[in-house]
Amino acid sequence: AVASAYHAVRSAHGPTTFLGYDHQTGTQGDGRVLALFVAGESTAQVESGPGQPEEVEVVVDCTPFYGRSGGQVGDTGWIRIAGSTELEVTDTLKPLSDLIVHRARIKSGRIGVGDEVTLEVDATRRNRTRRNHSATHLLHHGLRTVLGEHVTQKGSYVGPDKLTFDFSHFQPLTEDELRRVERIVNAAVRDNSIASDEETSFDEAQRRGAMALFGEKYGDRVRMLHIGPSLELCGGTHVQRSGDIGLFKIVSETGIAKGIRRIEALSGDGAEDLVTRQQDELARAAEALRSGPLEVAER
């Protein structure tokens, strides 16, 4: 029933216009409410107060919010109407390939179909997410460089907290291989190359060597992202320059299925926090052993 409702909105109003790719203005925008859903049922208006629904799904014609897809989490933030109406967006979904749905809690006021609204993405969370997403592309390139072209993506998670990357490989990576991959990614970060995107045909993108990602469904027109040595098809949000990633650190590498490995990693301030925690722990161990930090293993 919910899927039918989404299809009905899409048929009546067309696709959602996504405003989130622009690095300067991509976290804010204005739109008009096309539909509201409460518990899967369409409704004309929702307001705050006792006895009112706790959660509402909001569909607008234009939005800067990225809907969860391609391994990247959905944005969070706020929807406001001039005056006293405010909704807290707790997740953004993409039930159809070109329809974006905001899942929100109404904090104050009322919202109705046809209302003009202002939308604001949580910019700090978005920036952390897109750093991790761009780092994922560079990680993919690093793995193929170190391990070989048999490496292909088999899944991913990209959020503000971390990134995970699942890939095909026949054995655990050695410490040396992990360090080589990490160095390749950080070298691309230091190069600070511009991340450029281009819309083209799927056939042209393949001709130019763009990697198509596991789990993505591609139409006749695709978005091709070029960052440093990486060229991939991707609809997600990304940094403006590779240097915006700041720092890349691999946390772990494990097997999750036969022939499938998973790397968990951090970028930006998340990677910095990891390094700080590791240094603090090493310093405490060194103090307990009455040695220098680089003498702990020997002691």
Side-chain angles (χ1 to χ4, degrees), residues 7-38:
H7 279 286
V9 173
R10 170 63 179 82
S11 298
H13 301 286
T16 307
T17 300
F18 180 57
L19 309 172
Y21 288 135
D22 189 285
H23 289 278
Q24 304 302 320
T25 61
T27 57
Q28 294 185 333
D30 298 316
R32 181 173 59 86
V33 177
L34 302 178
L36 298 168
F37 297 107
V38 175

PDB file of all heavy atoms in Angstrom, residues 7-38:
ATOM      1  N   HIS A   7       4.229   5.565  -5.720  1.00  0.00           N
ATOM      2  CA  HIS A   7       4.096   5.566  -7.179  1.00  0.00           C
ATOM      3  C   HIS A   7       3.056   6.590  -7.635  1.00  0.00           C
ATOM      4  O   HIS A   7       3.225   7.237  -8.670  1.00  0.00           O
ATOM      5  CB  HIS A   7       3.703   4.169  -7.677  1.00  0.00           C
ATOM      6  CG  HIS A   7       4.868   3.233  -7.789  1.00  0.00           C
ATOM      7  ND1 HIS A   7       5.805   3.325  -8.789  1.00  0.00           N
ATOM      8  CD2 HIS A   7       5.238   2.183  -7.017  1.00  0.00           C
ATOM      9  CE1 HIS A   7       6.712   2.369  -8.635  1.00  0.00           C
ATOM     10  NE2 HIS A   7       6.392   1.663  -7.566  1.00  0.00           N
ATOM     11  N   ALA A   8       2.001   6.736  -6.855  1.00  0.00           N
ATOM     12  CA  ALA A   8       0.951   7.696  -7.217  1.00  0.00           C
ATOM     13  C   ALA A   8       1.488   9.124  -7.181  1.00  0.00           C
ATOM     14  O   ALA A   8       1.189   9.943  -8.060  1.00  0.00           O
ATOM     15  CB  ALA A   8      -0.243   7.547  -6.269  1.00  0.00           C
ATOM     16  N   VAL A   9       2.283   9.449  -6.148  1.00  0.00           N
ATOM     17  CA  VAL A   9       2.882  10.791  -6.064  1.00  0.00           C
ATOM     18  C   VAL A   9       3.827  11.018  -7.238  1.00  0.00           C
ATOM     19  O   VAL A   9       3.815  12.082  -7.870  1.00  0.00           O
ATOM     20  CB  VAL A   9       3.629  10.960  -4.726  1.00  0.00           C
ATOM     21  CG1 VAL A   9       4.395  12.279  -4.702  1.00  0.00           C
ATOM     22  CG2 VAL A   9       2.653  10.906  -3.566  1.00  0.00           C
ATOM     23  N   ARG A  10       4.632  10.013  -7.531  1.00  0.00           N
ATOM     24  CA  ARG A  10       5.587  10.133  -8.641  1.00  0.00           C
ATOM     25  C   ARG A  10       4.854  10.334  -9.961  1.00  0.00           C
ATOM     26  O   ARG A  10       5.259  11.158 -10.798  1.00  0.00           O
ATOM     27  CB  ARG A  10       6.472   8.878  -8.693  1.00  0.00           C
ATOM     28  CG  ARG A  10       7.357   8.743  -9.916  1.00  0.00           C
ATOM     29  CD  ARG A  10       8.372   9.862 -10.002  1.00  0.00           C
ATOM     30  NE  ARG A  10       9.235   9.711 -11.152  1.00  0.00           N
ATOM     31  CZ  ARG A  10       8.931  10.090 -12.390  1.00  0.00           C
ATOM     32  NH1 ARG A  10       7.755  10.655 -12.632  1.00  0.00           N
ATOM     33  NH2 ARG A  10       9.780   9.926 -13.377  1.00  0.00           N
ATOM     34  N   SER A  11       3.777   9.602 -10.174  1.00  0.00           N
ATOM     35  CA  SER A  11       3.020   9.718 -11.418  1.00  0.00           C
ATOM     36  C   SER A  11       2.345  11.077 -11.544  1.00  0.00           C
ATOM     37  O   SER A  11       2.269  11.661 -12.626  1.00  0.00           O
ATOM     38  CB  SER A  11       1.964   8.610 -11.506  1.00  0.00           C
ATOM     39  OG  SER A  11       2.572   7.333 -11.527  1.00  0.00           O
ATOM     40  N   ALA A  12       1.868  11.607 -10.419  1.00  0.00           N
ATOM     41  CA  ALA A  12       1.126  12.873 -10.446  1.00  0.00           C
ATOM     42  C   ALA A  12       2.038  14.092 -10.569  1.00  0.00           C
ATOM     43  O   ALA A  12       1.676  15.081 -11.213  1.00  0.00           O
ATOM     44  CB  ALA A  12       0.264  12.997  -9.189  1.00  0.00           C
ATOM     45  N   HIS A  13       3.232  14.026  -9.959  1.00  0.00           N
ATOM     46  CA  HIS A  13       4.057  15.236  -9.853  1.00  0.00           C
ATOM     47  C   HIS A  13       5.425  15.127 -10.508  1.00  0.00           C
ATOM     48  O   HIS A  13       6.145  16.122 -10.590  1.00  0.00           O
ATOM     49  CB  HIS A  13       4.242  15.607  -8.376  1.00  0.00           C
ATOM     50  CG  HIS A  13       2.956  15.861  -7.652  1.00  0.00           C
ATOM     51  ND1 HIS A  13       2.211  17.008  -7.842  1.00  0.00           N
ATOM     52  CD2 HIS A  13       2.274  15.110  -6.747  1.00  0.00           C
ATOM     53  CE1 HIS A  13       1.136  16.961  -7.075  1.00  0.00           C
ATOM     54  NE2 HIS A  13       1.153  15.818  -6.399  1.00  0.00           N
ATOM     55  N   GLY A  14       5.810  13.936 -10.952  1.00  0.00           N
ATOM     56  CA  GLY A  14       7.123  13.792 -11.563  1.00  0.00           C
ATOM     57  C   GLY A  14       8.208  13.552 -10.526  1.00  0.00           C
ATOM     58  O   GLY A  14       7.944  13.448  -9.328  1.00  0.00           O
ATOM     59  N   PRO A  15       9.469  13.491 -10.964  1.00  0.00           N
ATOM     60  CA  PRO A  15      10.574  13.188 -10.051  1.00  0.00           C
ATOM     61  C   PRO A  15      10.904  14.347  -9.117  1.00  0.00           C
ATOM     62  O   PRO A  15      10.603  15.509  -9.405  1.00  0.00           O
ATOM     63  CB  PRO A  15      11.740  12.911 -11.007  1.00  0.00           C
ATOM     64  CG  PRO A  15      11.415  13.719 -12.232  1.00  0.00           C
ATOM     65  CD  PRO A  15       9.921  13.657 -12.356  1.00  0.00           C
ATOM     66  N   THR A  16      11.522  14.013  -7.991  1.00  0.00           N
ATOM     67  CA  THR A  16      12.017  15.030  -7.068  1.00  0.00           C
ATOM     68  C   THR A  16      13.276  15.666  -7.646  1.00  0.00           C
ATOM     69  O   THR A  16      14.164  14.968  -8.133  1.00  0.00           O
ATOM     70  CB  THR A  16      12.362  14.412  -5.704  1.00  0.00           C
ATOM     71  OG1 THR A  16      11.239  13.679  -5.217  1.00  0.00           O
ATOM     72  CG2 THR A  16      12.748  15.496  -4.702  1.00  0.00           C
ATOM     73  N   THR A  17      13.377  16.974  -7.576  1.00  0.00           N
ATOM     74  CA  THR A  17      14.590  17.679  -7.988  1.00  0.00           C
ATOM     75  C   THR A  17      15.548  17.730  -6.807  1.00  0.00           C
ATOM     76  O   THR A  17      15.216  18.286  -5.761  1.00  0.00           O
ATOM     77  CB  THR A  17      14.273  19.110  -8.454  1.00  0.00           C
ATOM     78  OG1 THR A  17      13.377  19.049  -9.575  1.00  0.00           O
ATOM     79  CG2 THR A  17      15.544  19.841  -8.874  1.00  0.00           C
ATOM     80  N   PHE A  18      16.739  17.139  -6.971  1.00  0.00           N
ATOM     81  CA  PHE A  18      17.723  17.107  -5.891  1.00  0.00           C
ATOM     82  C   PHE A  18      18.644  18.316  -6.004  1.00  0.00           C
ATOM     83  O   PHE A  18      19.246  18.561  -7.048  1.00  0.00           O
ATOM     84  CB  PHE A  18      18.537  15.816  -5.949  1.00  0.00           C
ATOM     85  CG  PHE A  18      19.587  15.700  -4.873  1.00  0.00           C
ATOM     86  CD1 PHE A  18      19.238  15.770  -3.535  1.00  0.00           C
ATOM     87  CD2 PHE A  18      20.926  15.523  -5.209  1.00  0.00           C
ATOM     88  CE1 PHE A  18      20.199  15.667  -2.537  1.00  0.00           C
ATOM     89  CE2 PHE A  18      21.887  15.417  -4.223  1.00  0.00           C
ATOM     90  CZ  PHE A  18      21.532  15.490  -2.880  1.00  0.00           C
ATOM     91  N   LEU A  19      18.755  19.073  -4.914  1.00  0.00           N
ATOM     92  CA  LEU A  19      19.524  20.321  -4.898  1.00  0.00           C
ATOM     93  C   LEU A  19      20.856  20.179  -4.169  1.00  0.00           C
ATOM     94  O   LEU A  19      21.560  21.168  -3.984  1.00  0.00           O
ATOM     95  CB  LEU A  19      18.711  21.425  -4.203  1.00  0.00           C
ATOM     96  CG  LEU A  19      17.278  21.650  -4.690  1.00  0.00           C
ATOM     97  CD1 LEU A  19      16.562  22.638  -3.772  1.00  0.00           C
ATOM     98  CD2 LEU A  19      17.276  22.154  -6.128  1.00  0.00           C
ATOM     99  N   GLY A  20      21.216  18.969  -3.775  1.00  0.00           N
ATOM    100  CA  GLY A  20      22.305  18.795  -2.820  1.00  0.00           C
ATOM    101  C   GLY A  20      23.702  18.672  -3.370  1.00  0.00           C
ATOM    102  O   GLY A  20      24.651  18.508  -2.593  1.00  0.00           O
ATOM    103  N   TYR A  21      23.890  18.741  -4.685  1.00  0.00           N
ATOM    104  CA  TYR A  21      25.241  18.564  -5.220  1.00  0.00           C
ATOM    105  C   TYR A  21      26.094  19.826  -5.113  1.00  0.00           C
ATOM    106  O   TYR A  21      27.313  19.746  -5.075  1.00  0.00           O
ATOM    107  CB  TYR A  21      25.184  18.121  -6.681  1.00  0.00           C
ATOM    108  CG  TYR A  21      24.711  16.697  -6.878  1.00  0.00           C
ATOM    109  CD1 TYR A  21      23.764  16.377  -7.852  1.00  0.00           C
ATOM    110  CD2 TYR A  21      25.196  15.673  -6.085  1.00  0.00           C
ATOM    111  CE1 TYR A  21      23.333  15.072  -8.032  1.00  0.00           C
ATOM    112  CE2 TYR A  21      24.760  14.363  -6.247  1.00  0.00           C
ATOM    113  CZ  TYR A  21      23.830  14.071  -7.232  1.00  0.00           C
ATOM    114  OH  TYR A  21      23.405  12.780  -7.390  1.00  0.00           O
ATOM    115  N   ASP A  22      25.488  20.996  -5.080  1.00  0.00           N
ATOM    116  CA  ASP A  22      26.250  22.229  -5.031  1.00  0.00           C
ATOM    117  C   ASP A  22      26.940  22.368  -3.670  1.00  0.00           C
ATOM    118  O   ASP A  22      26.304  22.252  -2.626  1.00  0.00           O
ATOM    119  CB  ASP A  22      25.338  23.439  -5.266  1.00  0.00           C
ATOM    120  CG  ASP A  22      26.112  24.724  -5.445  1.00  0.00           C
ATOM    121  OD1 ASP A  22      26.617  25.249  -4.433  1.00  0.00           O
ATOM    122  OD2 ASP A  22      26.210  25.208  -6.596  1.00  0.00           O
ATOM    123  N   HIS A  23      28.260  22.630  -3.687  1.00  0.00           N
ATOM    124  CA  HIS A  23      29.013  22.679  -2.433  1.00  0.00           C
ATOM    125  C   HIS A  23      28.735  23.939  -1.628  1.00  0.00           C
ATOM    126  O   HIS A  23      28.944  23.963  -0.416  1.00  0.00           O
ATOM    127  CB  HIS A  23      30.515  22.570  -2.732  1.00  0.00           C
ATOM    128  CG  HIS A  23      30.923  21.210  -3.186  1.00  0.00           C
ATOM    129  ND1 HIS A  23      31.169  20.169  -2.319  1.00  0.00           N
ATOM    130  CD2 HIS A  23      31.103  20.700  -4.433  1.00  0.00           C
ATOM    131  CE1 HIS A  23      31.491  19.078  -3.000  1.00  0.00           C
ATOM    132  NE2 HIS A  23      31.466  19.378  -4.281  1.00  0.00           N
ATOM    133  N   GLN A  24      28.279  24.996  -2.275  1.00  0.00           N
ATOM    134  CA  GLN A  24      28.026  26.245  -1.570  1.00  0.00           C
ATOM    135  C   GLN A  24      26.605  26.311  -1.010  1.00  0.00           C
ATOM    136  O   GLN A  24      26.383  26.787   0.101  1.00  0.00           O
ATOM    137  CB  GLN A  24      28.263  27.444  -2.522  1.00  0.00           C
ATOM    138  CG  GLN A  24      29.641  27.463  -3.157  1.00  0.00           C
ATOM    139  CD  GLN A  24      30.762  27.488  -2.133  1.00  0.00           C
ATOM    140  OE1 GLN A  24      30.667  28.171  -1.122  1.00  0.00           O
ATOM    141  NE2 GLN A  24      31.831  26.754  -2.399  1.00  0.00           N
ATOM    142  N   THR A  25      25.641  25.855  -1.788  1.00  0.00           N
ATOM    143  CA  THR A  25      24.232  25.996  -1.402  1.00  0.00           C
ATOM    144  C   THR A  25      23.512  24.660  -1.247  1.00  0.00           C
ATOM    145  O   THR A  25      22.296  24.634  -1.060  1.00  0.00           O
ATOM    146  CB  THR A  25      23.486  26.832  -2.462  1.00  0.00           C
ATOM    147  OG1 THR A  25      23.551  26.151  -3.728  1.00  0.00           O
ATOM    148  CG2 THR A  25      24.114  28.206  -2.604  1.00  0.00           C
ATOM    149  N   GLY A  26      24.256  23.560  -1.306  1.00  0.00           N
ATOM    150  CA  GLY A  26      23.633  22.238  -1.360  1.00  0.00           C
ATOM    151  C   GLY A  26      23.050  21.708  -0.075  1.00  0.00           C
ATOM    152  O   GLY A  26      22.548  20.583  -0.055  1.00  0.00           O
ATOM    153  N   THR A  27      23.096  22.473   1.006  1.00  0.00           N
ATOM    154  CA  THR A  27      22.481  22.007   2.250  1.00  0.00           C
ATOM    155  C   THR A  27      21.223  22.797   2.609  1.00  0.00           C
ATOM    156  O   THR A  27      20.634  22.568   3.666  1.00  0.00           O
ATOM    157  CB  THR A  27      23.472  22.098   3.430  1.00  0.00           C
ATOM    158  OG1 THR A  27      23.930  23.450   3.559  1.00  0.00           O
ATOM    159  CG2 THR A  27      24.663  21.179   3.209  1.00  0.00           C
ATOM    160  N   GLN A  28      20.802  23.711   1.746  1.00  0.00           N
ATOM    161  CA  GLN A  28      19.588  24.483   1.993  1.00  0.00           C
ATOM    162  C   GLN A  28      18.796  24.633   0.698  1.00  0.00           C
ATOM    163  O   GLN A  28      19.361  24.621  -0.395  1.00  0.00           O
ATOM    164  CB  GLN A  28      19.922  25.867   2.556  1.00  0.00           C
ATOM    165  CG  GLN A  28      20.558  25.836   3.931  1.00  0.00           C
ATOM    166  CD  GLN A  28      20.749  27.221   4.500  1.00  0.00           C
ATOM    167  OE1 GLN A  28      20.885  28.186   3.772  1.00  0.00           O
ATOM    168  NE2 GLN A  28      20.754  27.321   5.821  1.00  0.00           N
ATOM    169  N   GLY A  29      17.492  24.769   0.826  1.00  0.00           N
ATOM    170  CA  GLY A  29      16.664  24.959  -0.354  1.00  0.00           C
ATOM    171  C   GLY A  29      15.214  25.195   0.025  1.00  0.00           C
ATOM    172  O   GLY A  29      14.824  25.074   1.197  1.00  0.00           O
ATOM    173  N   ASP A  30      14.423  25.544  -0.959  1.00  0.00           N
ATOM    174  CA  ASP A  30      12.987  25.769  -0.779  1.00  0.00           C
ATOM    175  C   ASP A  30      12.212  24.790  -1.647  1.00  0.00           C
ATOM    176  O   ASP A  30      12.653  24.418  -2.746  1.00  0.00           O
ATOM    177  CB  ASP A  30      12.614  27.201  -1.174  1.00  0.00           C
ATOM    178  CG  ASP A  30      13.310  28.237  -0.302  1.00  0.00           C
ATOM    179  OD1 ASP A  30      13.338  28.035   0.931  1.00  0.00           O
ATOM    180  OD2 ASP A  30      13.837  29.218  -0.855  1.00  0.00           O
ATOM    181  N   GLY A  31      11.055  24.386  -1.169  1.00  0.00           N
ATOM    182  CA  GLY A  31      10.233  23.464  -1.932  1.00  0.00           C
ATOM    183  C   GLY A  31       8.761  23.611  -1.572  1.00  0.00           C
ATOM    184  O   GLY A  31       8.397  24.357  -0.660  1.00  0.00           O
ATOM    185  N   ARG A  32       7.930  22.881  -2.293  1.00  0.00           N
ATOM    186  CA  ARG A  32       6.490  22.878  -2.051  1.00  0.00           C
ATOM    187  C   ARG A  32       6.062  21.463  -1.699  1.00  0.00           C
ATOM    188  O   ARG A  32       6.454  20.497  -2.375  1.00  0.00           O
ATOM    189  CB  ARG A  32       5.737  23.373  -3.291  1.00  0.00           C
ATOM    190  CG  ARG A  32       4.213  23.435  -3.120  1.00  0.00           C
ATOM    191  CD  ARG A  32       3.578  24.101  -4.334  1.00  0.00           C
ATOM    192  NE  ARG A  32       3.880  23.385  -5.560  1.00  0.00           N
ATOM    193  CZ  ARG A  32       3.161  22.349  -6.014  1.00  0.00           C
ATOM    194  NH1 ARG A  32       2.096  21.938  -5.337  1.00  0.00           N
ATOM    195  NH2 ARG A  32       3.487  21.754  -7.142  1.00  0.00           N
ATOM    196  N   VAL A  33       5.267  21.324  -0.649  1.00  0.00           N
ATOM    197  CA  VAL A  33       4.834  20.010  -0.185  1.00  0.00           C
ATOM    198  C   VAL A  33       3.874  19.392  -1.212  1.00  0.00           C
ATOM    199  O   VAL A  33       2.852  19.985  -1.554  1.00  0.00           O
ATOM    200  CB  VAL A  33       4.148  20.108   1.195  1.00  0.00           C
ATOM    201  CG1 VAL A  33       3.646  18.734   1.636  1.00  0.00           C
ATOM    202  CG2 VAL A  33       5.108  20.681   2.220  1.00  0.00           C
ATOM    203  N   LEU A  34       4.224  18.208  -1.680  1.00  0.00           N
ATOM    204  CA  LEU A  34       3.381  17.491  -2.651  1.00  0.00           C
ATOM    205  C   LEU A  34       2.500  16.448  -1.989  1.00  0.00           C
ATOM    206  O   LEU A  34       1.398  16.161  -2.474  1.00  0.00           O
ATOM    207  CB  LEU A  34       4.273  16.804  -3.696  1.00  0.00           C
ATOM    208  CG  LEU A  34       5.220  17.698  -4.494  1.00  0.00           C
ATOM    209  CD1 LEU A  34       6.051  16.850  -5.450  1.00  0.00           C
ATOM    210  CD2 LEU A  34       4.438  18.772  -5.260  1.00  0.00           C
ATOM    211  N   ALA A  35       2.988  15.862  -0.898  1.00  0.00           N
ATOM    212  CA  ALA A  35       2.216  14.803  -0.235  1.00  0.00           C
ATOM    213  C   ALA A  35       2.717  14.619   1.188  1.00  0.00           C
ATOM    214  O   ALA A  35       3.875  14.899   1.499  1.00  0.00           O
ATOM    215  CB  ALA A  35       2.343  13.486  -1.002  1.00  0.00           C
ATOM    216  N   LEU A  36       1.808  14.143   2.060  1.00  0.00           N
ATOM    217  CA  LEU A  36       2.127  13.786   3.431  1.00  0.00           C
ATOM    218  C   LEU A  36       1.590  12.387   3.699  1.00  0.00           C
ATOM    219  O   LEU A  36       0.474  12.054   3.278  1.00  0.00           O
ATOM    220  CB  LEU A  36       1.493  14.775   4.421  1.00  0.00           C
ATOM    221  CG  LEU A  36       1.942  16.238   4.332  1.00  0.00           C
ATOM    222  CD1 LEU A  36       1.016  17.116   5.177  1.00  0.00           C
ATOM    223  CD2 LEU A  36       3.387  16.398   4.774  1.00  0.00           C
ATOM    224  N   PHE A  37       2.375  11.571   4.404  1.00  0.00           N
ATOM    225  CA  PHE A  37       1.947  10.221   4.746  1.00  0.00           C
ATOM    226  C   PHE A  37       2.120   9.997   6.238  1.00  0.00           C
ATOM    227  O   PHE A  37       3.154  10.337   6.813  1.00  0.00           O
ATOM    228  CB  PHE A  37       2.763   9.167   3.995  1.00  0.00           C
ATOM    229  CG  PHE A  37       2.618   9.223   2.498  1.00  0.00           C
ATOM    230  CD1 PHE A  37       3.656   9.713   1.713  1.00  0.00           C
ATOM    231  CD2 PHE A  37       1.458   8.791   1.880  1.00  0.00           C
ATOM    232  CE1 PHE A  37       3.536   9.773   0.335  1.00  0.00           C
ATOM    233  CE2 PHE A  37       1.323   8.847   0.507  1.00  0.00           C
ATOM    234  CZ  PHE A  37       2.362   9.342  -0.275  1.00  0.00           C
ATOM    235  N   VAL A  38       1.102   9.427   6.865  1.00  0.00           N
ATOM    236  CA  VAL A  38       1.162   9.013   8.261  1.00  0.00           C
ATOM    237  C   VAL A  38       0.812   7.535   8.307  1.00  0.00           C
ATOM    238  O   VAL A  38      -0.283   7.146   7.888  1.00  0.00           O
ATOM    239  CB  VAL A  38       0.193   9.829   9.142  1.00  0.00           C
ATOM    240  CG1 VAL A  38       0.189   9.272  10.566  1.00  0.00           C
ATOM    241  CG2 VAL A  38       0.585  11.295   9.158  1.00  0.00           C
TER     242      VAL A  38
END
